[in-house]
């Protein structure tokens, strides 16, 4: 499936490059009339497209972005307004969103405009958040009589600490790109006009590395949020050891010693 109703998918490749798996898959949330509100159908499209790109050997990194005005203004409030407790509970509403975190390739969220509620939570499910200068982050669910339901009370605390996270979820107030940067929620603030270009460029930089090591970096860094330090260090070391079974390790280290660029084959 390549034609989606609520997203656009593009495969980008660096010019004059023969890097194996060097492409970047760009998913653009595209429901402009509702500021990319994350209705069920949009999220189904998003997860489908992410899976296809995750399995595509030509692609080494994924970028998720929105439009200038909104990355995503949250879960779809008109869809949600009709839900009842029993149905929400029995269907485990929003649990399927976490499938985004199961992708093995790195995902960069390029956030321009509003990333609110589920939009902020989606960004936090990605591996790197780049903020356009006009980005705004917030968890305004409290204004709707609910609380964040897709990680906003958990991932936000880990990202920016308890006091700032508590303030955001209790007041519903938004923070801008620079505040998000100062708090450690995003890794960089980039001029809005250049955001997507820079995100794709960063994606190319990641995609040209060895694909097995890239996936292991992602797995190990994400494990740091789940494990104790000693478990995490052991996990990291075992993964490090296992990379000596890859061709890319031989190639990477030989290339360094021979003073040439490595030709990684992701094996
Ligand atoms: N769901 C459904 N529709 C939404 C929406 C949402 N989350 N956010 C915006 N829209 C729709 C608006 O209803 C409006 O539609 P119409 O033109 O048909 O009236 C359209 O998008 C444009 O929005 P506004 O006119 O409100 O635009 P604005 O520039 O005045 O304000 C905004 C922008 C501040 C983002 C405002 O739209 C807003 O506050 N949106 C809701 C944000 C929110 O509460 N998000 C949390 C949702 S709950 C959640 O996400 C739960 C969870 O944890 C998973």
């Amino acid at each position: 499936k390549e034609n989606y109703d609520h997203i656009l998918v593009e495969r980008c490749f660096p010019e004059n490059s023969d890097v194996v798996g060097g492409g970047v898959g760009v998913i653009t949330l595209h429901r402009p009339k509702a500021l990319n509100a994350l209705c069920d159908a949009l999220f189904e499209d998003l997860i489908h497209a992410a899976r296809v790109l995750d399995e595509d050997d030509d692609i080494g990194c994924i970028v998720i972005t929105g439009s200038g005005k909104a990355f995503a203004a949250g879960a779809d409030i008109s869809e949600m307004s009709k839900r009842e407790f029993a149905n929400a509970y029995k269907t485990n509403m929003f649990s399927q969103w976490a499938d985004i975190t199961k992708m093995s390739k790195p995902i960069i969220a390029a956030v321009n405009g509003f990333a609110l509620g589920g939009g902020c939570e989606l960004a936090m499910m990605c591996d790197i958040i780049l903020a356009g200068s006009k980005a705004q982050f917030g968890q305004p669910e409290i204004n709707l009589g609910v609380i964040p339901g897709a990680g906003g009370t958990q991932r936000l605390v880990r990202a920016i600490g308890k006091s700032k996270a508590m303030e955001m979820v209790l007041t519903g107030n938004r923070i801008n790109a620079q505040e998000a940067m100062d708090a450690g929620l995003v890794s960089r603030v980039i001029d809005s006009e250049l955001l997507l270009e820079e995100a794709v460029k960063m994606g190319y930089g990641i995609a040209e590395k060895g694909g097995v090591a890239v996936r292991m970096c992602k797995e190990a860094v994400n494990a740091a949020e789940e494990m104790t330090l000693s478990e995490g260090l052991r996990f990291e070391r075992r993964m490090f050891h296992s990379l000596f079974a890859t061709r890319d390790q031989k190639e990477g280290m030989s290339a360094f010693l021979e003073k040439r660029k490595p030709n990684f084959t992701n094996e």
Side-chain angles (χ1 to χ4, degrees):
K1 185 177 168 183
E2 281 289 307
N3 288 320
Y4 297 96
D5 293 332
H6 301 301
I7 60 170
L8 307 169
V9 179
E10 198 184 345
R11 287 170 170 72
C12 305
F13 295 91
E15 271 173 44
N16 306 321
S17 163
D18 51 5
V19 172
V20 178
V24 171
V26 178
I27 303 176
T28 304
L29 309 178
H30 188 65
R31 222 190 140 205
K33 285 192 182 134
L35 299 182
N36 297 330
L38 303 164
C39 60
D40 291 343
L42 187 156
F43 228 96
E44 267 173 41
D45 281 358
L46 174 61
I47 286 167
H48 188 281
R51 273 205 193 106
V52 170
L53 292 170
D54 203 42
E55 287 167 12
D56 185 336
D57 288 340
D58 294 334
I59 298 296
C61 187
I62 298 169
V63 171
I64 299 180
T65 193
S67 59
K69 189 164 179 199
F71 176 72
D76 188 302
I77 299 170
S78 46
E79 218 172 58
M80 250 184 323
S81 64
K82 304 174 199 95
R83 305 289 291 258
E84 298 287 342
F85 166 74
N87 168 275
Y89 180 70
K90 287 190 293 183
T91 59
N92 207 359
M93 177 165 60
F94 298 146
S95 59
Q96 71 282 13
W97 286 19
D99 285 357
I100 280 293
T101 65
K102 297 188 183 133
M103 306 303 152
S104 67
K105 292 172 189 168
I107 305 183
I108 300 171
V111 176
N112 232 347
F114 295 115
L116 303 181
C120 185
E121 292 168 310
L122 169 61
M124 290 190 290
M125 286 181 207
C126 298
D127 301 300
I128 299 172
I129 307 180
L130 300 179
S133 41
K134 295 182 186 145
Q136 297 217 27
F137 299 84
Q139 297 289 162
E141 289 89 344
I142 194 74
N143 298 325
L144 301 168
V146 291
I147 69 168
T153 67
Q154 304 300 303
R155 291 197 178 93
L156 196 59
V157 178
R158 286 164 169 76
I160 69 175
K162 173 173 164 175
S163 194
K164 280 199 171 81
M166 194 67 98
E167 180 179 330
M168 283 177 72
V169 300
L170 286 176
T171 65
N173 291 345
R174 307 196 282 256
I175 57 172
N176 65 28
Q178 192 55 48
E179 288 167 322
M181 172 77 196
D182 295 343
L185 180 61
V186 310
S187 72
R188 281 204 223 177
V189 181
I190 295 168
D191 187 276
S192 320
E193 307 297 315
L194 300 175
L195 175 67
L196 186 56
E197 193 183 321
E198 290 294 320
V200 171
K201 213 186 280 175
M202 182 181 282
Y204 289 151
I206 293 169
E208 72 179 23
K209 318 279 193 250
V212 177
V214 163
R215 285 169 175 80
M216 283 200 192
C217 278
K218 166 168 172 160
E219 206 178 339
V221 172
N222 283 330
E225 300 211 310
E226 312 269 356
M227 290 181 172
T228 64
L229 181 60
S230 59
E231 282 167 348
L233 289 170
R234 186 178 158 87
F235 182 71
E236 176 197 81
R237 202 176 319 111
R238 292 296 176 237
M239 287 203 143
F240 174 72
H241 295 159
S242 72
L243 284 165
F244 287 79
T246 64
R247 185 195 163 277
D248 283 347
Q249 174 268 326
K250 311 285 174 243
E251 170 61 13
M253 294 191 182
S254 308
F256 177 83
L257 295 173
E258 291 160 19
K259 302 191 189 303
R260 59 175 177 84
K261 264 194 99 174
N263 287 311
F264 291 124
T265 50
N266 307 328
E267 283 163 352

